[in-house]
Amino acid sequence: MAHPKRKISKTRRDKRRSHHALTPKAFTECPNCGDIVRLHHVCTECGYYRGRQVLDVETVA
């Protein structure tokens, strides 16, 4: 098996890991019902996407 010839310094290691951070998911408010919705996703409460109804959401009473 191959072995590293030199020790990787902490600086070089941390520079490589600088891109590993997780980014929080983006949310917005549905313009139709006001519920919190992921960007570019259909609203699960009212079924609207970009001002059009694309899903039939029946309310359970």
Side-chain angles (χ1 to χ4, degrees):
M1 248 171 89
H3 293 285
K5 195 160 193 144
R6 301 223 183 271
K7 176 182 176 180
I8 300 293
S9 70
K10 293 173 191 148
T11 303
R12 185 174 283 272
R13 177 199 67 198
D14 293 343
K15 282 182 187 178
R16 181 180 67 246
R17 292 179 181 173
S18 68
H19 303 286
H20 292 183
L22 296 175
T23 56
K25 297 188 177 188
F27 290 94
T28 186
E29 186 176 309
C30 175
N32 190 47
C33 68
D35 194 38
I36 301 295
V37 182
R38 291 265 323 265
L39 290 174
H40 307 288
H41 284 68
V42 177
C43 179
T44 56
E45 293 296 316
C46 62
Y48 274 73
Y49 179 70
R50 297 187 71 183
R52 294 184 303 144
Q53 187 167 10
V54 292
L55 285 178
D56 266 340
V57 181
E58 295 182 19
T59 57
V60 179

